[in-house]
Amino acid sequence: GAGVSQSPSNKVTEKGKDVELRCDPISGHTALYWYRQSLGQGLEFLIYFQGNSAPDKSGLPSDRFSAERTGGSVSTLTIQRTQQEDSAVYLCASSPGDSDNEKLFFGSGTQLSVL
Amino acid sequence: AQSVTQLGSHVSVSEGALVLLRCNYSSSVPPYLFWYVQYPNQGLQLLLKYTTGATLVKGINGFEAEFKKSETSFHLTKPSAHMSDAAEYFCAVRPLGDYKLSFGAGTTVTVRA
């Protein structure tokens, strides 16, 4: 596809379970971002990947959160031992990685609900 | 760290009326400034951005924003609202030479017929 693809679009899980969220960026984009969108709180930066550089994990809220990007393309965000406060929309975005003022292309997000 | 403040979490306007969404940033050095829009059930998309040069920036769908350094503001306007403008709007900033985009809390716009 031409855009950023995220799966699943919706995920309902029980407290304490692990979840994996997937992001397929636009082909050729070297920069990939994960954000979390909570009601009334805007978008919270989680993690950033750029090419083969070490990712910026400074936004991950706890050590239950991790992310990887395989082959410079697909990324997976993993949340271990989910808590109710993890419920949010998780957004992935990619960009060409050429310029510091380029726009980000966003996926439609994964709505995570932790019961 | 960059801070972005959007005044008003919800704005309601009549069709044909002016839309004004306020955004202020906290930075001694003006960052790059963006407005993104999220239509219902869609991903965020860029409305417009300011990098350098002309301080009045025009974007898609008739929106424009003006960068005012003295006021550290980047307010978004549209002269005449249309029903299709109902969406959530996010102001975002990125420091020069940085990659991290910081977003405001968002403003939901509803348009009354």
Side-chain angles (χ1 to χ4, degrees), chain A residues 33-75:
Chain A
Y33 302 73
W34 283 97
Y35 283 87
R36 179 167 69 176
Q37 184 177 17
S38 302
L39 197 63
Q41 296 186 29
L43 278 73
E44 174 188 7
F45 168 81
L46 297 177
I47 189 169
Y48 165 78
F49 296 90
Q50 171 57 42
N52 295 321
S53 302
D56 178 349
K57 305 179 182 180
S58 61
L60 295 179
S62 76
D63 58 8
R64 296 187 294 105
F65 288 71
S66 63
E68 62 177 22
R69 188 178 185 189
T70 54
S73 181
V74 172
S75 178

Side-chain angles (χ1 to χ4, degrees), chain B residues 25-46:
Chain B
Y25 63 90
S26 64
S27 173
S28 57
V29 177
Y32 297 126
L33 298 156
F34 305 79
W35 276 99
Y36 281 81
V37 60
Q38 187 175 31
Y39 297 107
N41 302 314
Q42 295 186 29
L44 277 82
Q45 58 183 282
L46 183 70

